[in-house]
Amino acid sequence: MNPTYLYDVDDTLPVQRGLIYGLQWAFIMFPALIIAASLVVGSLGPGHGDKVRFLQLTLLTSGLFTMVQTLWGHRYPLLEGPSTALMLAFILLAPLGLPAIQGGTIIGGGLLILTVLSKQLDRLIKLFTPNVVGVILILIALGLLRPLLRFMIGAAEIHPLPKGQTFLISLFLVLLIATLSHWLMRFWKSVSILVGMCIGSVVFLALGQLDWHGLLSASWVSLSPQWIESVPGFSWPAAIAFACAYLAVMVNTLGSIQSIAVITDTGRLQTATHRGILVNGVAGLSCGLLGIVGTVSFSMSPGVILANRVASRFAITYCGAILLVAAFLPKLAALLALVPTPVVGAALCVGMGGQVGVGISTIASQKIESRDYFVVGLPVLLGTMVGFLPGGMFDALPGPIQVFVGNSLIVGIALVLLLEHLILRKRKSSPATSK
């Protein structure tokens, strides 16, 4: 499947349009970066982490490696940001102290680089059949249901409206953005998400739900006085946990690259996979030295691209540059944080809805057999179910195992690979049967 885009994957953009598209992506991306910085600082306990420093360095690394990936790495329109698997490992290992976490992150990133250089990735790539890629696309969208719901009911807002009212406004914005994406033409279609987010922000402003204090009080320029918090140390539990977490990062990045290739360009897939995971490894070394969460290729891009019809990787490059600049300009960071979470949730909901459609289309591109209903259906159902399990359910398990069983995407990918290639693999027809 290759949809028609206003800008294709390698098309360059006029600067003014690149900035607009980049800002559109940055508004979608920014809440995830704030949440990541807040969670890891909170896990270290009082007096052991500076939230401003963490947010600055998270913006810096996310922006920098987004630019590196789109210009040299996988060269696909994919964002780079803090990995959920690595964030979980960071939080679980917080009692060991930041030096142990830094050392574990460096070891995990180094192992990822070693895996690429030893040319073991080619075996993994062959496992990604249409069933596997389609399931990954659907799982990515359904795996976001819980955070999407929290966004759309305004659970993260400081002074929220009644949840029912907030959800209805967010639902209206979902339909509005989808309508704009369908009926607008050319440039306006490509910024339909940004237009919808602006309208949504105005609605919340009229309801008195837009907080300007953060923007007005933010300074223009800020430089962190301390880049490296502490010297990395070594701990066996941290080394093992982050080795497992980076295996999850590798699977996550493979799924993200495979899913974006389906709607853009599959010709560069092999080179893109090697380079993309190599850059993830280098990012692990850098983030480990800085003492923050390592990055992964985010998987939300296909749905958003289908909504705005801009597949150019350079639009994501501009987003990376905006995030990089925001690391040193708190006023810009405050502007990105100004959009209410229900509005961000509505924009993501539109994108993920399109992504489910792409997943179904990918699975249907082959001849469907009876086995395929189970190969596709069970991982989607069980993987989604994991995302709704009660928090702390796996606390009794070792940390490395928690990294896997607590991640709906990893569980779903493991199940679909197991069913597709082992338990329900296709039967080889004998010569007599074929005849």
Side-chain angles (χ1 to χ4, degrees):
M1 180 187 139
N2 246 328
T4 302
Y5 298 117
L6 181 59
Y7 291 100
D8 216 332
V9 65
D10 287 323
D11 290 346
T12 54
L13 302 167
V15 174
Q16 64 273 22
R17 289 200 175 187
L19 288 172
I20 292 173
Y21 298 145
L23 194 62
Q24 182 173 248
W25 280 105
F27 276 124
I28 294 173
M29 177 75 167
F30 200 71
L33 302 183
I34 294 178
I35 291 169
S38 301
L39 285 175
V40 295
V41 170
S43 69
L44 291 173
H48 293 283
D50 180 359
K51 185 176 179 180
V52 174
R53 173 185 174 275
F54 266 77
L55 180 57
Q56 276 192 298
L57 294 179
T58 300
L59 283 167
L60 175 67
T61 52
S62 297
L64 175 63
F65 287 106
T66 293
M67 295 178 70
V68 171
Q69 289 278 33
T70 53
L71 295 175
W72 181 86
H74 50 56
R75 297 186 303 124
Y76 278 121
L78 289 171
L79 293 162
E80 300 291 310
S83 162
T84 304
L86 297 178
M87 198 187 314
L88 178 59
F90 192 111
I91 293 170
L92 290 172
L93 295 168
L96 297 179
L98 190 59
I101 293 171
Q102 289 175 272
T105 304
I106 290 172
I107 289 170
L111 289 174
L112 210 57
I113 295 171
L114 191 61
T115 302
V116 176
L117 297 181
S118 62
K119 300 181 179 179
Q120 296 299 311
L121 279 176
D122 295 330
R123 297 180 181 179
L124 290 173
I125 295 171
K126 294 176 183 177
L127 301 177
F128 285 77
T129 62
N131 276 347
V132 175
V133 175
V135 166
I136 290 171
L137 281 164
I138 296 172
L139 274 172
I140 289 166
L142 298 184
L144 288 172
L145 280 177
R146 175 172 279 187
L148 265 182
L149 183 58
R150 287 181 56 81
F151 275 27
M152 292 177 71
I153 64 175
E157 298 295 287
I158 299 175
H159 303 293
L161 294 168
K163 288 183 171 57
Q165 183 179 343
T166 303
F167 181 76
L168 288 176
I169 295 172
S170 193
L171 184 60
F172 163 75
L173 291 173
V174 169
L175 298 176
L176 174 65
I177 294 171
T179 303
L180 293 174
S181 176
H182 178 69
W183 289 108
L184 293 179
M185 303 299 292
R186 299 191 62 78
F187 170 73
W188 289 107
K189 177 187 284 289
S190 67
V191 292
S192 56
I193 292 178
L194 184 59
V195 171
M197 293 176 78
C198 289
I199 293 173
S201 298
V202 170
V203 170
F204 278 91
L205 174 62
L207 294 171
Q209 295 294 305
L210 214 59
D211 186 5
W212 295 92
H213 295 94
L215 178 62
L216 296 174
S217 62
S219 59
W220 282 101
V221 180
S222 174
L223 295 174
S224 178
Q226 188 173 11
W227 288 86
I228 299 176
E229 183 83 1
S230 56
V231 178
F234 177 80
S235 165
W236 276 112
I240 295 170
F242 275 100
C244 294
Y246 266 96
L247 180 59
V249 167
M250 183 171 64
V251 174
N252 199 334
T253 297
L254 277 170
S256 299
I257 292 175
Q258 289 276 343
S259 62
I260 197 67
V262 169
I263 64 165
T264 53
D265 176 21
T266 56
R268 68 185 69 184
L269 189 56
Q270 185 172 9
T271 303
T273 303
H274 285 77
R275 286 187 174 187
I277 293 178
L278 183 65
V279 172
N280 281 155
V282 174
L285 299 182
S286 305
C287 293
L289 188 62
L290 295 172
I292 59 174
V293 178
T295 63
V296 69
S297 298
F298 276 17
S299 47
M300 65 178 75
S301 294
V304 177
I305 287 170
L306 289 171
N308 64 24
R309 296 286 159 175
V310 175
S312 173
R313 57 192 171 97
F314 299 110
I316 308 294
T317 306
Y318 276 100
C319 174
I322 290 170
L323 294 177
L324 190 62
V325 172
F328 304 103
L329 297 180
K331 191 72 81 174
L332 176 57
L335 175 65
L336 295 175
L338 194 62
V339 179
T341 53
V343 178
V344 177
L348 275 176
C349 191
V350 174
M352 294 306 101
Q355 190 157 312
V356 170
V358 178
I360 295 171
S361 174
T362 302
I363 294 164
S365 65
Q366 60 183 340
K367 183 181 178 182
I368 302 295
E369 301 177 5
S370 59
R371 65 178 281 276
D372 295 318
Y373 298 123
F374 297 105
V375 170
V376 171
L378 290 175
V380 169
L381 184 65
L382 294 172
T384 304
M385 194 183 298
V386 167
F388 288 89
L389 292 175
M393 187 170 175
F394 301 111
D395 286 352
L397 298 177
I401 297 178
Q402 288 186 46
V403 169
F404 284 92
V405 296
N407 187 311
S408 60
L409 181 60
I410 300 303
V411 169
I413 291 176
L415 285 173
V416 72
L417 290 172
L418 192 64
L419 291 169
E420 173 80 343
H421 298 290
L422 187 62
I423 298 175
L424 300 181
R425 67 182 182 277
K426 291 182 179 180
R427 296 177 180 175
K428 293 182 180 179
S429 54
S430 63
T433 306
S434 301
K435 184 175 178 183

